[in-house]
Amino acid sequence: MPGPVKVAARADIPPGGKLLAEVDGRAIAVLRVGDDFYAIDDVCTHDGGPLAEGELRGCEIRCPRHGARFDVRDGRALSFPAVEPVPTHRVEIRGDDVLVHVDD
Ligand code: FES
């Protein structure tokens, strides 16, 4: 499997910001909370809503389709109608680059 993939420069995503990236053909929402970066699948576990288009408030992202909320740090579903966690991916900061690992 390929190694981590650069998805952005740190400055591309301000605190509280988000970005939609594609890594190995997979849509990934990259989110910044303060100085920490997180990556989750851009697919809501309720009905496939595009999470990167949702509202990010603190560590929570709200699905724009039916309003389920997820914790971006560990993918936990925090509210109905979603009950399953969304897959998360390890983010690595290398210099000014934001890299995402999708295979571990
Ligand atoms: S698709 Fe996300 S809450 Fe329904």
Side-chain angles (χ1 to χ4, degrees):
M1 290 291 286
V5 174
K6 178 183 173 183
V7 294
R10 283 168 55 94
D12 292 340
I13 312 175
K18 49 198 165 63
L19 175 144
L20 176 62
E22 189 177 310
V23 180
D24 293 344
R26 191 164 175 163
I28 306 284
V30 184
L31 312 132
R32 180 170 177 175
V33 179
D35 273 337
D36 296 322
F37 291 82
Y38 301 95
I40 62 175
D41 276 0
D42 184 44
V43 181
C44 179
T45 57
H46 172 238
D47 193 27
L51 293 177
E53 294 177 19
E55 181 186 356
L56 178 64
R57 189 175 287 180
C59 293
E60 296 180 14
I61 188 113
R62 186 174 184 276
C63 178
R65 195 165 287 174
H66 309 107
R69 291 177 295 111
F70 297 87
D71 189 318
V72 302
R73 297 169 295 184
D74 57 10
R76 265 182 314 146
L78 299 172
S79 70
F80 289 109
V83 291
E84 296 294 325
V86 66
T88 60
H89 306 284
R90 187 158 67 88
V91 176
E92 180 182 337
I93 303 299
R94 205 180 280 172
D96 283 332
D97 294 341
V98 181
L99 298 95
V100 172
H101 298 249
V102 292
D103 52 350
D104 61 16

